[in-house]
Amino acid sequence: MKNLLVLSMKGCPYCEQLKDLLDEGSVSYTEIDIDNFTSEYDMFKKITNSDYLPGFMIIDEETRTLECYAAEQDFFTIEEAFNMSKKLLES
């Protein structure tokens, strides 16, 4: 089973847009507010070498792997982030 974690922060319009698309598409995710989960955000920044938001992580419980995806690096539009996260969850 794969889980989607969306890194976001209050006041980030792009973060809200991604969460809205995920909600509209009935894609299950867990929100990680970087103000409350600083160690997770620090880990994300270290892995991706990026502090741009939104970002997301895919955790595969079966293979015990974690993949991180950052804005302006792995995707350039919110629609790309939505499509990428949905495809990765289904693969």
Side-chain angles (χ1 to χ4, degrees), residues 4 56 58 68-70 73-76 78-91:
L4 173 63
F56 66 90
I58 301 284
C68 297
Y69 301 90
Q73 181 174 302
D74 299 300
F75 56 89
F76 297 93
I78 297 304
E79 291 78 16
E80 279 183 307
F82 169 74
N83 290 329
M84 178 184 284
S85 61
K86 190 173 177 182
K87 183 177 179 180
L88 288 166
L89 285 172
E90 293 169 351
S91 65

Side-chain angles (χ1 to χ4, degrees), residues 4-89:
L4 173 63
L5 306 176
V6 176
L7 289 95
S8 67
M9 63 184 251
K10 290 174 182 63
C12 170
Y14 301 112
C15 300
E16 292 303 317
Q17 289 173 13
L18 177 56
K19 293 185 293 182
D20 287 346
L21 280 177
L22 292 167
D23 291 339
E24 291 168 14
S26 299
V27 177
S28 179
Y29 66 94
T30 300
E31 179 180 6
I32 303 295
D33 183 325
I34 65 166
D35 293 323
N36 297 325
F37 294 91
T38 55
S39 62
E40 287 83 351
Y41 183 49
D42 289 341
M43 177 190 67
F44 176 82
K45 290 188 300 185
K46 185 174 183 175
I47 292 170
T48 63
N49 292 316
S50 175
D51 61 356
Y52 289 123
L53 293 175
F56 66 90
M57 298 186 278
I58 301 284
I59 299 175
D60 188 327
E61 293 180 11
E62 186 176 308
T63 61
R64 300 181 127 176
T65 56
L66 169 71
E67 298 174 354
C68 297
Y69 301 90
E72 301 299 322
Q73 181 174 302
D74 299 300
F75 56 89
F76 297 93
T77 68
I78 297 304
E79 291 78 16
E80 279 183 307
F82 169 74
N83 290 329
M84 178 184 284
S85 61
K86 190 173 177 182
K87 183 177 179 180
L88 288 166
L89 285 172

